[in-house]
Amino acid sequence: MNFLDNVLFAIILVVGFGYFFTNVKKIIRNIKLGTDIDRSDNPKERWKNMAMIALGQSKMVKRPVAGVLHIIVYVGFIIINIELLEIIIDGLFGTHRVFAFLGGAYDFLIGSFEVLAALVLLAVFVFWSRRNVIKLKRFLSADLNGYPKNDANYILYFEVVLMSLFLLMNASDLHLQQVPGGFSHFIKAGSFPVSQFIAPVFDGMSNEIVMLLSELFWWLHIVGILIFMNYLYYSKHLHIILAFPNTYFANLKPQGQFDNLASVTTEVKLMMDPNADPFAAPATTDSVPNKFGASDVMDLNWVQLMNAYTCTECGRCTSSCPANQTGKKLSPRKIMMDTRDRLEEVGRNIDKNKGVFVPDSISLLNNYITAEELWACTSCNACVEECPVNISPLSIIMDMRRYLVMEQSAAPMPLNAMMTNIENNGAPWQYSQQDRLNWKNEQ
């Protein structure tokens, strides 16, 4: 590489990482639109969750085929991109395999990268087949029609292209390393257990042509990585970054245990305070919103919004949902996808209006998620249990239900009747106070 190539590489690198961090800032801003919630308790348990679930993939392997293949792709893709450090140094300073001085350790690393690249290609082929040939049921849902379905395939195509370019880059490099007497600056370094079978493709070509192809593969590989990195913002694949904070900040309380609404607690305290002004507007803070429950993304807490960005759209939640299995409209995956879509819509509104959200007569409730979906939920926690990255669709469903009940009195008729009976009779049934314990006498 000459000086102009080094400058061009530096410019591409700055633009690629600059655009990436710009989008990361948008994600952080959007997540911070949520209400405050304290998830700083029990750091030891949180670190353990992150290590076991995000790093160790412990929940993925509950479904062994997909779990093992995912681990191969995950480990392979992450480890192979360690090579990115060498590529950056070579690109900026015009060196070639700058870490070759590591000797045997370098040979082992490159050899390991190649084996992993081959395994990734195999795993990606199986994943593609599961989606497009076998057509597993959880990938055929209406939730995934259009872009979500295409996005999953785009990710697989990206990985095929990047792994193939890596192997082609090594194969052409190996060919030039084997030129009698040496060729240009191509030093003999690395071990190539996979690309050695590809290298014969270049036999019969002139060294200059192979040199041009080697540089082309190198440029396409690094540019492809930068493009893929920036595509993450628009893709479900964002979970490769957010899975770590998402598992760390996940709810540690027993499943089925719900928090009291801070807004309700505040309201009750005011009612019991003899010095409180009954006509004063209730105070609003980040942790105590002036609303019961949630009707839009700004009413949800920041962990729930991070959940939406972390969703892998794998469908394990929906495939295990008893309501969905019986034909009801509820899909926990759709709940998360809708939340993310609405949050992105709010973010674009803020960008368009110079940092201020302008009310748009749209809300998460009704415009994205219907009451029918919310009331179909049995609150069994199956979706929470199944999620490989500890996302909780149930928490969003319950907060939106709270809004329907406490703000709009829009609960289903049997539920409204039950609550009325509890209020009037002290029991869910329409018995008088005197008769409400008669059930214990029945045989």
Side-chain angles (χ1 to χ4, degrees):
M1 295 178 69
N2 56 40
F3 177 72
L4 290 179
D5 289 335
N6 300 147
V7 173
L8 177 60
F9 179 83
I11 292 172
I12 292 174
L13 201 64
V14 169
V15 171
F17 277 95
Y19 189 67
F20 174 74
F21 285 115
T22 297
N23 285 332
V24 168
K25 288 173 63 177
K26 284 185 180 180
I27 292 171
I28 294 173
R29 178 205 63 190
N30 290 352
I31 290 174
K32 286 184 175 180
L33 293 175
T35 61
D36 191 28
I37 186 172
D38 184 9
R39 290 288 170 85
S40 61
D41 61 307
N42 203 343
K44 183 178 179 180
E45 184 69 19
R46 295 187 179 281
W47 282 111
K48 179 183 176 182
N49 279 351
M50 188 172 72
M52 293 294 295
I53 299 171
L55 186 63
Q57 308 279 292
S58 61
K59 295 184 76 172
M60 281 295 301
V61 294
K62 288 183 177 180
R63 301 191 184 191
V65 174
V68 171
L69 291 174
H70 187 274
I71 289 175
I72 290 173
V73 174
Y74 166 74
V75 173
F77 193 80
I78 296 299
I79 291 180
I80 290 169
N81 280 322
I82 294 175
E83 187 212 15
L84 186 62
L85 179 60
E86 182 180 60
I87 291 178
I88 291 174
I89 295 174
D90 285 346
L92 290 175
F93 299 101
T95 54
H96 175 251
R97 295 194 176 274
V98 69
F99 292 147
F101 69 88
L102 295 172
Y106 184 77
D107 293 346
F108 174 77
L109 283 174
I110 297 301
S112 301
F113 293 167
E114 290 215 344
V115 171
L116 283 170
L119 290 174
V120 168
L121 287 173
L122 175 62
V124 166
F125 173 75
V126 175
F127 279 138
W128 184 88
S129 299
R130 283 159 59 90
R131 286 180 176 273
N132 301 284
V133 179
I134 300 174
K135 296 183 178 180
L136 294 183
K137 184 178 179 181
R138 62 190 170 104
F139 298 134
L140 296 179
S141 170
D143 306 350
L144 298 181
N145 287 343
Y147 177 74
K149 180 179 179 179
N150 294 333
D151 173 46
N153 284 326
Y154 294 157
I155 293 296
L156 297 177
Y157 299 147
F158 257 121
E159 290 172 346
V160 168
V161 169
L162 292 177
M163 295 301 103
S164 298
L165 285 170
F166 171 73
L167 293 173
L168 286 168
M169 179 179 71
N170 281 354
S172 58
D173 193 290
L174 174 61
H175 177 89
L176 293 170
Q177 289 184 29
Q178 293 172 340
V179 172
F183 179 77
S184 183
H185 62 288
F186 280 75
I187 60 175
K188 291 188 176 182
S191 175
F192 307 97
V194 178
S195 59
Q196 65 176 328
F197 298 105
I198 305 173
V201 171
F202 303 105
D203 292 346
M205 297 184 187
S206 68
N207 292 333
E208 288 73 17
I209 293 296
V210 180
M211 174 72 172
L212 287 174
L213 288 174
S214 180
E215 290 190 354
L216 177 64
F217 297 145
W218 186 92
W219 277 100
L220 290 176
H221 183 62
I222 181 62
V223 171
I225 289 173
L226 293 174
I227 292 173
F228 179 79
M229 180 177 70
N230 282 287
Y231 179 68
L232 294 181
Y233 174 77
Y234 306 96
S235 166
K236 75 185 186 72
H237 221 56
L238 193 60
H239 72 270
I240 66 175
I241 298 173
L242 288 180
F244 292 90
N246 197 80
T247 50
Y248 181 86
F249 290 111
N251 188 12
L252 297 181
K253 294 180 180 179
Q255 290 182 8
Q257 178 179 335
F258 294 99
D259 292 326
N260 292 324
L261 279 178
S263 50
V264 173
T265 302
T266 300
E267 192 79 10
V268 171
K269 287 180 177 178
L270 284 173
M271 292 171 62
M272 299 179 68
D273 183 359
N275 299 317
D277 182 357
F279 301 103
T284 301
T285 67
D286 289 339
S287 59
V288 185
N290 186 14
K291 183 184 285 188
F292 300 119
S295 62
D296 210 347
V297 289
M298 291 81 80
D299 305 322
L300 299 172
N301 65 59
W302 63 268
V303 173
Q304 291 170 318
L305 300 186
M306 184 168 62
N307 281 180
Y309 273 122
T310 310
C311 179
T312 70
E313 299 176 13
C314 66
R316 292 187 178 203
C317 53
T318 296
S319 68
S320 65
C321 174
N324 186 272
Q325 290 173 6
T326 57
K328 296 182 174 63
K329 287 188 176 181
L330 174 64
S331 166
R333 173 172 57 191
K334 178 179 177 293
I335 297 293
M336 303 315 302
M337 293 169 66
D338 286 344
T339 302
R340 174 175 174 166
D341 289 345
R342 172 55 181 164
L343 185 55
E344 278 292 293
E345 183 177 47
V346 169
R348 290 191 295 271
N349 181 308
I350 293 172
D351 291 336
K352 181 180 178 181
N353 295 287
K354 300 179 180 180
V356 177
F357 176 72
V358 175
D360 54 4
S361 302
I362 299 174
S363 67
L364 181 62
L365 179 61
N366 297 325
N367 294 103
Y368 284 85
I369 300 172
T370 64
E372 181 181 357
E373 294 172 78
L374 298 175
W375 290 114
C377 177
T378 67
S379 65
C380 68
N381 270 292
C383 57
V384 182
E385 177 65 28
E386 284 293 318
C387 180
V389 288
N390 278 17
I391 290 169
S392 177
L394 178 60
S395 68
I396 295 176
I397 292 171
M398 296 306 295
D399 280 348
M400 296 181 75
R401 276 186 177 181
R402 284 166 162 173
Y403 177 83
L404 287 171
V405 172
M406 303 181 74
E407 291 277 354
Q408 296 190 331
S409 299
M413 187 176 298
L415 186 57
N416 276 332
M418 181 196 73
M419 290 187 289
T420 299
N421 289 334
I422 290 174
E423 181 180 1
N424 295 332
N425 307 323
W429 308 280
Q430 200 169 5
Y431 299 152
S432 67
Q433 289 277 5
Q434 291 77 16
D435 296 334
R436 68 189 184 97
L437 293 179
N438 285 353
W439 62 269
K440 68 182 179 66
N441 298 320
E442 296 179 6
Q443 300 297 325

